[in-house]
């Protein structure tokens, strides 16, 4: 059992009282378009899948971890104008996530890790602001935007041309193939537009970047096998962030 919500009250109490540290992983994503082939909740789905795999790694490291329900909404201003883009303000997201972290710590969790795979910079900043002022042993953020973890991922990811491209599509194919529109995916041409480069140049929306179908990269080249490898690396990212944070206590 890895889901926090599946626990009964006495099981939760036993984890809090146990000899091993009890950590809660909070998957975070967004509701936004991911091309014509992937679901709106792709980012949260990736976070959930990586968290589930991290539980076993943390167990091996001496930590009892559980995965909370996902926080599916985020700052999605880059997708403005596309159907299905639902954004919240950075302040609202930060306040909500801080309340969740404080609530979990108050209930007895030793550590809370916010696991984010929606890579819009304003969203990432809002997530990180939610743990400001807390001790490292209390809370952490695991997100592949940092150079340390980005360099462990695929060439497409490192290029920045990876919104609903080969990288994300492969992960969804590994996690939930029924959610991928295969007929659409296999026919999509590569769109070599780097989201990260465009943002650095001051271009702030998919439409202005030329991503007229809300994707960049090469989704037609994706495979489930590649997705499995990416999930393993994301799980290692989460486990390492948690274990290193707890070691500072």
């Amino acid at each position: 059992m890895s889901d926090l919500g599946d626990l009964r009250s006495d099981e939760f109490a036993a984890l809090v009282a146990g000899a091993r540290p009890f950590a809660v992983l909070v998957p975070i994503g967004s509701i936004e378009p991911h091309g014509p082939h992937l679901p709106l909740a792709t980012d949260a789905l990736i976070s959930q899948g990586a968290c589930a795999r991290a539980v076993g790694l943390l167990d091996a490291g001496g930590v009892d971890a559980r995965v909370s329900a996902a926080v599916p909404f985020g700052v999605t201003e880059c997708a403005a104008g596309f159907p299905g883009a639902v954004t919240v303000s950075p302040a609202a997201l930060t306040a909500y996530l801080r309340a969740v972290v404080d609530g979990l710590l108050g209930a007895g969790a030793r550590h809370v890790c916010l696991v984010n795979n929606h890579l819009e910079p304003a969203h990432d900043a809002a997530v990180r602001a939610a743990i400001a002022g807390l001790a490292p042993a209390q809370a952490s953020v695991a997100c592949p935007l940092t150079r340390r973890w980005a360099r462990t991922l695929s060439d497409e990811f490192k290029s920045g041309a990876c919104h609903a491209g080969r990288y994300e599509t492969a992960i969804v194919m590994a996690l939930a193939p029924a959610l991928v529109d295969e007929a659409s995916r296999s026919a999509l041409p590569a769109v070599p537009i780097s989201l990260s480069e465009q943002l650095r140049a001051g271009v702030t929306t998919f439409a202005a970047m030329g991503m007229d179908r809300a994707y960049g990269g090469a989704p037609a080249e994706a495979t489930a096998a590649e997705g499995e490898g990416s999930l393993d690396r994301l799980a290692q990212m989460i486990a390492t962030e948690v274990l290193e944070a707890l070691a500072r206590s």
Side-chain angles (χ1 to χ4, degrees), residues 86-98:
V86 180
T87 191
V88 300
S89 73
L93 180 63
T94 296
Y96 179 72
L97 290 176
R98 181 54 178 262

Side-chain angles (χ1 to χ4, degrees), residues 74-167:
V75 182
T76 60
E77 294 168 355
C78 285
F82 284 94
V86 180
T87 191
V88 300
S89 73
L93 180 63
T94 296
Y96 179 72
L97 290 176
R98 181 54 178 262
V100 169
V101 171
D102 287 344
L104 288 167
L105 293 173
R110 178 86 64 86
H111 186 84
V112 180
C113 181
L114 302 179
V115 179
N116 173 41
N117 281 279
H118 174 51
L119 306 182
E120 193 162 328
H123 174 88
D124 178 66
V127 172
R128 293 181 184 280
I131 65 169
L134 294 174
Q138 292 179 295
S140 61
V141 172
C143 175
L145 268 183
T146 60
R147 183 173 300 175
R148 177 186 187 184
W149 301 117
R151 67 187 182 189
T152 70
L153 296 171
S154 70
D155 288 342
E156 187 192 76
F157 182 90
K158 286 181 278 192
S159 77
C162 57
H163 178 75
R166 175 173 171 169
Y167 167 76

